[in-house]
């Protein structure tokens, strides 16, 4: 339904392919291997994976194992999460999957710089993003143990003074999306902010059920036809992003109008992104660079370390809200010595 009927959920560039992809094969018994874009036909569909690296040291692509990965990935060294992601990719009818740690050489600064600069296209051109939303690291996998009865709709008959009210009432958890998607471990990770916003559609593997998010609707196993209005769902940032994308297709929308929305969107993205965490502070601007590319397409402006030149003075009025957990940590261990990330006038400097 999404691929056929949602005009706002189209991939930005269906012909684009990342430099490397994982061929998971058509059948379970086939050993996955790394393939190059040059080996595939233009327009080949692929999935992407969003996941938390965590503290476990999982298998990564290195310059020393590139040749062997081209032949076969070491199945015994693959994390539970990666193995299940291979299976899900096959299940949704795809053969190719992009995983950052297996498709970018982790010991090559040159390869990492080149591939990270294309991150916006990797996710926006992907067919579907598989999100390990409830997992802290690769050892936990995509699928969680659960009680399926806990997510079934619960009908509650109500009476008043021995008289039936004549309507059906259902118990509704209005915080199901906020608690199990927005506040889940994955969505506290800085890199995931752009992965979520750029992907045309995301399949979230939650702690209790599957959740669906595209640019048109959000749903889950409990609400398969879409979240009701009483359940807060799509973030206002994603809603605005979708609105701007649709206006790009409307030739009657002026460039000034689109630019105004673009600046507004960037402010909301920065606010959301600033609440997340990064393993390496040096990634602060890199992890949002893909979104900056998209915003630049909207505002047609020069990007300056997290701010935009034409709207520079207004964007200098940013302020920081103290993180209580960090304040407590600093009071015990003392303030951390920060490396240089950005000029002091940029929000990215703190």
């Amino acid at each position: 339904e999404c691929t056929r009927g949602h005009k706002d959920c189209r991939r930005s560039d269906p012909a684009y392919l990342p430099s490397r992809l994982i061929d998971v094969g058509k059948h379970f018994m086939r050993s996955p291997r790394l393939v190059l874009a040059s080996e595939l036909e233009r327009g080949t569909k692929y999935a992407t994976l969003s996941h938390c690296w965590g503290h476990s040291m999982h298998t990564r692509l290195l310059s020393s194992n590139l040749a062997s990965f081209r032949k076969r990935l070491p199945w015994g060294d693959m994390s539970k999460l990666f193995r299940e992601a291979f299976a899900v990719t096959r299940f949704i009818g795809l053969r190719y999957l992009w995983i950052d740690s297996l498709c970018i050489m982790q010991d090559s600064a040159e390869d990492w710089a080149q591939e990270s600069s294309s991150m916006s296209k990797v996710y926006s051109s992907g067919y579907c993003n598989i999100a390990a939303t409830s997992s802290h690291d690769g050892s936990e996998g995509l699928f969680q143990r659960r009680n399926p009865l806990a997510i079934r709709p619960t009908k509650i008959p109500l009476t008043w003074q021995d008289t039936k009210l004549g309507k059906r009432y259902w118990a509704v958890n209005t915080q199901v999306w906020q608690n199990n998607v927005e506040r889940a471990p994955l969505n506290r990770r800085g890199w995931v902010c752009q992965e979520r916003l750029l992907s045309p559609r995301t399949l979230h593997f939650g702690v209790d059920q599957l959740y669906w998010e595209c640019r048109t609707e959000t749903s889950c196993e409990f609400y398969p036809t879409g979240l009701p209005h009483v359940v807060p769902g799509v973030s206002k940032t994603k809603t605005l992003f979708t609105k701007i994308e649709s206006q790009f297709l409307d030739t009657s929308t002026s460039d000034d109008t689109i630019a105004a929305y673009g600046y507004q969107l960037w402010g909301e993205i920065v606010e959301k992104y600033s609440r997340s965490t990064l393993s390496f502070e040096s990634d602060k601007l890199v992890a949002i660079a893909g979104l900056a590319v998209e915003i630049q397409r909207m505002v047609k402006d020069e990007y300056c370390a997290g701010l935009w030149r034409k709207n520079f003075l207004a964007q200098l009025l940013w302020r920081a809200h103290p993180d209580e957990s960090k304040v407590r940590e600093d009071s015990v261990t003392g303030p951390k010595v920060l490396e240089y990330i950005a000029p002091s006038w940029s929000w990215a400097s703190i």
Side-chain angles (χ1 to χ4, degrees):
E1 180 184 348
C2 180
T3 56
R4 294 191 302 269
H6 295 171
K7 65 178 183 179
D8 292 329
C9 298
R10 287 175 290 188
R11 294 185 291 163
S12 66
D13 185 2
Y16 173 83
L17 285 175
S19 300
R20 306 179 188 97
L21 285 168
I22 300 165
D23 180 359
V24 302
K26 295 181 179 179
H27 309 288
F28 178 76
M29 295 304 293
R30 180 185 171 94
S31 299
R33 68 185 186 94
L34 202 63
V35 295
L36 304 181
S38 57
E39 302 173 42
L40 305 175
E41 296 182 2
R42 285 173 56 86
T44 297
K45 294 179 181 179
Y46 65 92
T48 56
L49 177 68
S50 288
H51 65 109
C52 290
W53 283 43
H55 299 294
S56 58
M57 186 56 66
H58 53 266
T59 303
R60 302 171 296 157
L61 176 64
L62 305 171
S63 54
S64 59
N65 58 23
L66 175 60
S68 64
F69 277 23
R70 293 287 312 281
K71 297 177 181 178
R72 177 180 295 181
L73 293 181
W75 184 260
D77 295 335
M78 292 292 106
S79 67
K80 179 183 178 184
L81 173 58
F82 288 176
R83 293 183 187 184
E84 292 179 353
F86 299 156
V88 169
T89 301
R90 295 190 198 96
F91 184 79
I92 62 178
L94 300 180
R95 181 170 173 175
Y96 300 98
L97 173 66
W98 188 89
I99 301 177
D100 50 6
S101 58
L102 294 180
C103 295
I104 302 176
M105 285 193 286
Q106 301 299 310
D107 60 346
S108 170
E110 180 181 355
D111 190 67
W112 191 87
Q114 179 179 337
E115 297 301 316
S116 62
S117 66
S118 303
M119 207 67 78
S120 62
K121 283 191 174 182
V122 170
Y123 284 93
S124 63
S125 301
Y127 183 80
C128 181
N129 182 37
I130 300 168
T133 307
S134 64
S135 302
H136 292 83
D137 57 41
S139 65
E140 297 181 12
L142 291 172
F143 302 98
Q144 309 292 335
R145 290 186 175 275
R146 67 172 188 176
N147 178 4
L149 297 178
I151 65 168
R152 289 180 59 183
T154 303
K155 182 180 178 181
I156 302 178
L158 293 180
T159 59
W160 177 256
Q161 295 180 348
D162 298 328
T163 301
K164 291 186 178 180
L165 296 181
K167 292 184 179 180
R168 293 186 301 174
Y169 293 86
W170 302 86
V172 174
N173 178 6
T174 60
Q175 294 300 308
V176 64
W177 185 273
Q178 294 297 317
N179 291 338
N180 298 331
V181 177
E182 297 296 340
R183 301 190 185 106
L186 179 66
N187 289 317
R188 294 196 294 266
R189 179 175 173 254
W191 280 94
V192 174
C193 179
Q194 70 175 5
E195 296 171 7
R196 245 183 106 184
L197 285 175
L198 293 173
S199 300
R201 58 192 65 88
T202 298
L203 184 61
H204 295 277
F205 285 77
V207 69
D208 63 337
Q209 60 187 304
L210 289 174
Y211 296 84
W212 173 265
E213 177 180 35
C214 68
R215 292 174 179 168
T216 303
E217 72 173 40
T218 51
S219 58
C220 61
E221 293 178 59
F222 191 94
Y223 302 111
T225 59
L227 297 180
H229 69 278
V230 295
V231 178
V234 184
S235 68
K236 63 178 183 179
T237 305
K238 185 141 190 169
T239 302
L240 185 58
F241 196 97
T242 302
K243 182 178 180 180
I244 296 171
E245 284 290 307
S246 63
Q247 286 182 341
F248 262 117
L249 303 176
D250 183 1
T251 55
S252 65
T253 305
S254 69
D255 289 346
D256 290 342
T257 300
I258 294 177
Y261 277 121
Y263 290 130
Q264 179 186 350
L265 173 59
W266 183 251
E268 294 181 6
I269 288 172
V270 169
E271 182 178 347
K272 182 181 181 66
Y273 174 69
S274 298
R275 298 193 192 103
S276 59
T277 59
L278 291 165
S279 299
F280 304 100
E281 287 297 318
S282 57
D283 288 347
K284 199 158 195 177
L285 288 174
V286 181
I288 205 173
L291 286 171
V293 170
E294 293 299 306
I295 296 297
Q296 191 167 43
R297 188 167 61 97
M298 300 173 186
V299 301
K300 297 179 174 61
D301 197 356
E302 184 180 350
Y303 185 58
C304 305
L307 282 67
W308 300 96
R309 181 175 290 277
K310 294 178 183 177
N311 202 36
F312 197 74
L313 294 180
Q315 292 183 39
L316 284 175
L317 298 176
W318 60 268
R319 63 174 180 173
H321 295 279
D323 185 324
E324 293 298 327
S325 62
K326 291 182 179 178
V327 171
R328 288 193 297 270
E329 180 182 345
D330 289 347
S331 65
V332 176
T333 63
K336 296 179 180 178
V337 179
L338 300 178
E339 59 180 308
Y340 177 82
I341 304 298
S344 60
W345 41 259
S346 172
W347 56 266
S349 63
I350 61 172

